[in-house]
Amino acid sequence: MEKTTDTFPLTMNSSEEQGTVCIFGTGDFGRSLGLKMLHCGYSVVFGSRNPQKSSLLPKGAEVLSYSEAAQKSDIIFLTIHREHYDFLTELTGVLNGKILVDVSNNLKINQYPESNAEYLAQLLPGAHVVKAFNTISAWALQSGALDASRQVFVCGNNNKAKQRVMDIVRTLGLTPLDQGSLKAASEIENYPLQLFPMWKFPFYLSAVLCVFFFFYCVVREVIYPYVYENKDNSFRMAISIPNRVFPIAALTLLALVYLPGVIAAILQLYRGTKYRRFPDWLDHWMLCRKQLGLVALGFAFLHVLYTLVIPIRYYVRWRLGNQTTTQAISKKENPFSTSSAWLSDSYMALGILGFFLFVLLGITSLPSVSNAVNWREFRFVQSKLGYLTLIFCTAHTLIYGGKKFLSPSILRWCLPSAYVIALIIPCTVLVLKFILILPCVNKTLTRIRQGWERHSKVSNWH
Amino acid sequence: MEKTTDTFPLTMNSSEEQGTVCIFGTGDFGRSLGLKMLHCGYSVVFGSRNPQKSSLLPKGAEVLSYSEAAQKSDIIFLTIHREHYDFLTELTGVLNGKILVDVSNNLKINQYPESNAEYLAQLLPGAHVVKAFNTISAWALQSGALDASRQVFVCGNNNKAKQRVMDIVRTLGLTPLDQGSLKAASEIENYPLQLFPMWKFPFYLSAVLCVFFFFYCVVREVIYPYVYENKDNSFRMAISIPNRVFPIAALTLLALVYLPGVIAAILQLYRGTKYRRFPDWLDHWMLCRKQLGLVALGFAFLHVLYTLVIPIRYYVRWRLGNQTTTQAISKKENPFSTSSAWLSDSYMALGILGFFLFVLLGITSLPSVSNAVNWREFRFVQSKLGYLTLIFCTAHTLIYGGKKFLSPSILRWCLPSAYVIALIIPCTVLVLKFILILPCVNKTLTRIRQGWERHSKVSNWH
Amino acid sequence: MEKTTDTFPLTMNSSEEQGTVCIFGTGDFGRSLGLKMLHCGYSVVFGSRNPQKSSLLPKGAEVLSYSEAAQKSDIIFLTIHREHYDFLTELTGVLNGKILVDVSNNLKINQYPESNAEYLAQLLPGAHVVKAFNTISAWALQSGALDASRQVFVCGNNNKAKQRVMDIVRTLGLTPLDQGSLKAASEIENYPLQLFPMWKFPFYLSAVLCVFFFFYCVVREVIYPYVYENKDNSFRMAISIPNRVFPIAALTLLALVYLPGVIAAILQLYRGTKYRRFPDWLDHWMLCRKQLGLVALGFAFLHVLYTLVIPIRYYVRWRLGNQTTTQAISKKENPFSTSSAWLSDSYMALGILGFFLFVLLGITSLPSVSNAVNWREFRFVQSKLGYLTLIFCTAHTLIYGGKKFLSPSILRWCLPSAYVIALIIPCTVLVLKFILILPCVNKTLTRIRQGWERHSKVSNWH
């Protein structure tokens, strides 16, 4: 799909001289960066403790002592660990006024109180420190296989120095992203260490939901028949039970996307102001709503696939074949029930429409799409269409239960069907939301959100 | 999916001083912006008519009179309504040479003849007006939940002032987008007021199509059997009839994507030049082809889902069970018809391939994908693959009709099946396109599109 | 989805003067560019060999001789072919210090040894050459229908000149992308000539795979029964056989995505270093893994659709109906086989989960999504999830075979079922990968990838 890979390849012909750059450190990243820069037409000078030509260094690069190397160029890439920055203070004289590019990464998020780049800037106040290149891997530089990202986050306090580094980034075929002042360095240093931080809560939550409902269904549909009828229903664990667990997880997670908004509204109504912070758990919950919704969409997608393979399952074919055979042997036609047809068809139609809207929501949350809509449009989609999706999916589940909903015959060991439990949160959210949009309540809420305060009370609390 | 939210959070530690900014206006947006800036290390001075410390203002901010506040900073954010800009003329002296950031929005699109920012620039010719921040909501600034977009459109006539504002935007953790000179301000001011303007025509068109064909099918499939056979087919309104309406809408809209191109080609051939403007309706139609196509894809997706649930519908199971029972009772095997198998399989295969190509078209219209392909590739996909999709889908519909296509027995109250009507536009488009790519016609058209003119005639018309 | 089209339309009101630009060349592109610039408030002067007002030129533009036109503006757009650049040397005096924007394209990729823009810079060393606008088509400029891309790649050695051109690009409503120095010009000139270069290998490979397996299956399933049983199975060519070919192609291509990584690891282990280049074929293979994977996903998607329509096919309904009839006539119930139910359900569940993960992989390879994840996350998704997908899909195929896997009864003309052949590559990849992640092997590999070398051997080789 994306083909920038080949259109602007990392390796250009070095027909033209781009100037000299200096690299401190001859480790893997330093060598990879040096090789890449040589390919792009730069002269490269390595600074090293033991300035002897190593066979590992790219051909064409010079190796000098740190201070000699630093004198050859006005821009120095530091590919050394933060722990060894101390020796740089000895070079203060030669590094004064030079651009120092800090490419270092740490082993853990927030390992040090200040970022490596800011620490460097404190060590050498006379140099222009720029943070860059730490999000690019040595392997990617070497192989040119920059699938993950060609983006190089750049930050620094000196604009000229930053521009200089960004030009080099572009010459290497990468995309610089200006992140502002050096204060952004700690964010940039944490960035490559993260593994889907916003997805952790939705992921664990859905795992807990799935495991709980899986065992709940196993008890009801496998163990119960085994104990009472000695029937081996274990095969249901492959498709039938997942196909109960997944829609339950999807519906619950979707409802949990809208629950924090409702709670926040109630809190604001109760407090009579919007100028007090929400509790931390609510803030965090609101920030990962998108991830919750996308996980829910994943479960809904699985539910759709599991449902659509029903007619080609051996069990279903066997059961339908036997039903028809019994019917044929008894020689009577099955009467047609219009109400059953209506129930079956409307429950499916609601499910399909709900899933369709859900997919729309998912598409609009793609970064490139959500960047192309304005705030009003985004709110329209995520709020109006989102609630419509929730209504459709809840109605789909309600009608699925149909006549047998909550009938006592469906209880096994006093356990109701799993979908009955799944309906609790969505119905609660919808009822609360319905109350919140009643004109009288909504009017107060709107005023509060526009900055109005129920002063008398608030001032007492302050 | 996108996790910038947490990697570069809006709230940074204010360990470092970023300088002083001034905000005119103490409304909701002004306060939210001030709070955000305080968090990001700025000193904030509010300018107000009544410079008394309000409990609503963020702690740590100063409140002064307008002219005092303006003297404290070289950059002033105006969070006041355009209607109140007049008083600024009194401050001309103190505002001279300062950067004025206009964040105002209007209530309606094109409410005033010129944009608020341009109006401001006329009022204060000595100040450097920059338009920015109007697309960000107060709530998003406060909560950090910038799901919709971190993009801040910036425009202004003075490049230094613009750069200054863009640096602040970056420090707040947002992405500035340079939109050029102040002339772009009216677009930027209209932007947050729009609600899918390009989608209106496709949306209304498809609504009309759906309603028309829904009632057409209800007449043929529910009312007709009720009148003549007293059969209650009302349950067909949930799935069977939508599953006729949706493919018809999809095919018609897809054909309407390609019709304007064909009409334009015919117009160019007729006029013998490409240098005359198309009528407005054609221009507008051509500009919303993408939206038309995506709506068509939505209907096609619904059609696929409605079709795939067919075998698990109660009605279908009942009908098949009864058929087999009848067959079993009469004790004879159904003979196998190779031609029926061919018809059924090829109609489905065409439908699947058509849908597959349609999804490909949809994916390439995602902004991030279409930005990664060049013009030649985009044209290849949207034109070649697009016509292939249209051909597949039209053939799918033709073969669906199969033998009974246009046979009089299918008429009810003289109404043909709905899909027969749906074929009119696609077939017309395909026939016209076929004529246009005949070598003799195509040669002339290509010459016209490369700038050639049928002079003799044209000059007479001028 | 994207609506920038209308929010920042190309045509603005020309209420304000933007300065004068000069265009050399009065061909189609020159005229379209001139018209566009007039609309955006620029004064346009055309430079022409025969400076007489042509009716084709946009109204409001001046036409002068080259040297006269050049004197009117400090920025000159060259919309002439490279072959005619020679005459510019006569204008060296007047062009000195001016910004020359080279918009030219070639007819073939790498048609000349150096890019047109670099050639121009050599001809006129005193001018500031900027490459831009060559990726925009005349038609798109004229009609405003810039669906493909609003991106204008800009490069040049003089930063001020480049900024100037980028400002004009923005004023025209387009998005400038700074590509660095003039060295990038050859890439920019090749860009619009490319037609999915990275997709060629995956496309041809999959075409070969499909054709081979299609005929393989036709021999086994159509010709064999025709020869031995005189049965006309030709209808299987529409759905049954494609539904064998597509999953085979999908699984094989997916395995081929992971094979080069395994080969590379083995090579590195064997060589004891990572500092030697891989053979070219391996490099190229590794660079088009993403495309291979997406083509595989396409086939998997088709396989899913072809599988889900199974129960509504005429042939399947006929067969099931007859089976049940036979069963009913013989008046016995089919016994239920738990092992068959387990096999059928687990094979489908594995297929669904494999497809689900495959879709996730596809989504993360969308440019906007892969830009939003860091390198660690991308590697996690593409490597860990990727192998999980491969394991699921391989297991799906293995269990599909089930009991009859490799049984001699399934051979026809000594040909095993097609899926047996399809399993060879995936199983090989999985076994090799399993060996590579054994702790002893993995340790060595990790050390090599961190830069370690098995020196003794390597130095001899150097």
Side-chain angles (χ1 to χ4, degrees), chain A residues 1 7 28 191 193 196 313, chain C residues 187 199 274-275 374 376:
Chain A
M1 222 140 280
T7 44
D28 189 31
Y191 184 70
L193 297 167
F196 297 112
R313 287 173 64 197
Chain C
E187 302 295 337
W199 292 86
K274 70 163 190 177
Y275 292 108
N374 66 33
R376 194 176 160 216

Side-chain angles (χ1 to χ4, degrees), chain B residues 129-206:
Chain B
V129 175
V130 175
K131 182 86 206 178
F133 281 104
N134 68 311
T135 54
I136 303 286
S137 76
W139 189 80
L141 270 178
Q142 246 181 339
S143 68
L146 287 155
D147 296 306
S149 177
R150 344 191 102 242
Q151 296 179 344
V152 175
F153 298 108
V154 181
C155 75
N157 288 331
N158 182 294
N159 266 325
K160 278 214 168 159
K162 198 158 62 175
Q163 284 304 328
R164 186 71 208 287
V165 174
M166 285 166 74
D167 282 343
I168 292 178
V169 171
R170 278 190 209 100
T171 310
L172 301 191
L174 305 163
T175 311
L177 280 182
D178 189 345
Q179 296 294 324
S181 74
L182 210 55
K183 198 175 293 212
S186 60
E187 302 295 337
I188 296 178
E189 287 173 10
N190 282 337
Y191 184 70
L193 297 167
Q194 290 167 336
L195 191 63
F196 298 111
M198 296 305 280
W199 292 86
K200 265 176 198 146
F201 172 61
F203 181 77
Y204 289 124
L205 180 65
S206 55

Side-chain angles (χ1 to χ4, degrees), chain B residues 58-283:
Chain B
K59 272 164 203 156
E62 234 179 318
V63 195
L64 300 170
S65 73
Y66 284 127
S67 66
E68 284 171 316
Q71 276 156 12
K72 294 260 183 177
S73 168
D74 64 332
I75 186 158
I76 295 146
F77 289 81
L78 295 183
T79 66
I80 45 183
H81 290 290
R82 176 199 176 115
E83 296 81 47
H84 309 131
Y85 281 5
D86 299 338
F87 84 91
L88 292 167
T89 49
E90 304 161 15
L91 302 167
T92 311
V94 72
L95 295 179
N96 234 2
K98 305 236 163 179
I99 302 169
L100 295 187
V101 186
D102 184 312
V103 305
S104 65
N105 271 322
N106 295 323
L107 296 172
K108 280 187 299 181
I109 288 180
N110 293 325
Q111 197 173 354
Y112 297 100
E114 78 288 84
S115 67
N116 300 355
E118 287 168 303
Y119 171 66
L120 181 64
Q122 285 163 23
L123 280 181
L124 299 160
H128 307 304
V129 175
V130 175
K131 182 86 206 178
F133 281 104
N134 68 311
T135 54
I136 303 286
S137 76
W139 189 80
L141 270 178
Q142 246 181 339
S143 68
L146 287 155
D147 296 306
S149 177
R150 344 191 102 242
Q151 296 179 344
V152 175
F153 298 108
V154 181
C155 75
N157 288 331
N158 182 294
N159 266 325
K160 278 214 168 159
K162 198 158 62 175
Q163 284 304 328
R164 186 71 208 287
V165 174
M166 285 166 74
D167 282 343
I168 292 178
V169 171
R170 278 190 209 100
T171 310
L172 301 191
L174 305 163
T175 311
L177 280 182
D178 189 345
Q179 296 294 324
S181 74
L182 210 55
K183 198 175 293 212
S186 60
E187 302 295 337
I188 296 178
E189 287 173 10
N190 282 337
Y191 184 70
L193 297 167
Q194 290 167 336
L195 191 63
F196 298 111
M198 296 305 280
W199 292 86
K200 265 176 198 146
F201 172 61
F203 181 77
Y204 289 124
L205 180 65
S206 55
V208 167
L209 274 175
C210 283
V211 169
F212 171 75
F213 279 107
F214 185 80
F215 285 107
Y216 188 92
C217 289
V218 165
V219 167
R220 267 182 52 93
E221 297 178 39
V222 178
I223 297 176
Y224 184 92
Y226 185 77
V227 169
Y228 284 86
E229 307 166 37
N230 204 20
K231 252 173 81 184
D232 181 6
N233 267 353
S234 62
F235 73 93
R236 299 183 74 88
M237 289 192 289
I239 292 200
S240 309
I241 291 178
N243 201 19
R244 288 194 204 289
V245 173
F246 292 155
I248 288 172
L251 186 59
T252 309
L253 290 173
L254 182 61
L256 291 180
V257 169
Y258 292 99
L259 187 53
V262 167
I263 294 177
I266 293 172
L267 257 175
Q268 288 179 334
L269 273 176
Y270 174 74
R271 291 169 169 181
T273 176
K274 70 163 189 174
Y275 293 107
R276 280 176 60 200
R277 273 185 67 88
F278 294 129
D280 276 348
W281 57 268
L282 190 56
D283 261 351

Side-chain angles (χ1 to χ4, degrees), chain A residues 223-298:
Chain A
I223 297 177
Y224 183 92
Y226 184 76
V227 169
Y228 285 85
E229 308 167 34
N230 204 22
K231 251 172 83 183
D232 180 5
N233 267 353
S234 62
F235 73 94
R236 299 182 75 88
M237 289 193 288
I239 292 199
S240 309
I241 291 179
N243 202 18
R244 286 193 205 290
V245 173
F246 292 156
I248 288 172
L251 185 59
T252 309
L253 290 172
L254 182 60
L256 291 179
V257 169
Y258 291 98
L259 186 52
V262 168
I263 294 178
I266 292 172
L267 257 174
Q268 289 179 335
L269 275 176
Y270 174 75
R271 292 170 167 181
T273 176
K274 69 164 190 175
Y275 293 108
R276 281 177 60 200
R277 275 183 66 87
F278 293 130
D280 276 348
W281 57 267
L282 189 58
D283 261 352
H284 183 70
W285 189 355
M286 289 182 94
L287 283 173
C288 68
R289 283 181 292 181
K290 178 176 168 179
Q291 284 75 18
L292 275 173
L294 288 173
V295 172
L297 177 57

Side-chain angles (χ1 to χ4, degrees), chain A residues 395-412:
Chain A
H396 166 71
T397 315
L398 276 167
I399 295 179
Y400 166 74
K403 298 163 189 166
K404 59 189 191 291
F405 191 65
L406 280 184
S407 93
S409 67
I410 214 75
L411 294 180
R412 290 179 185 173

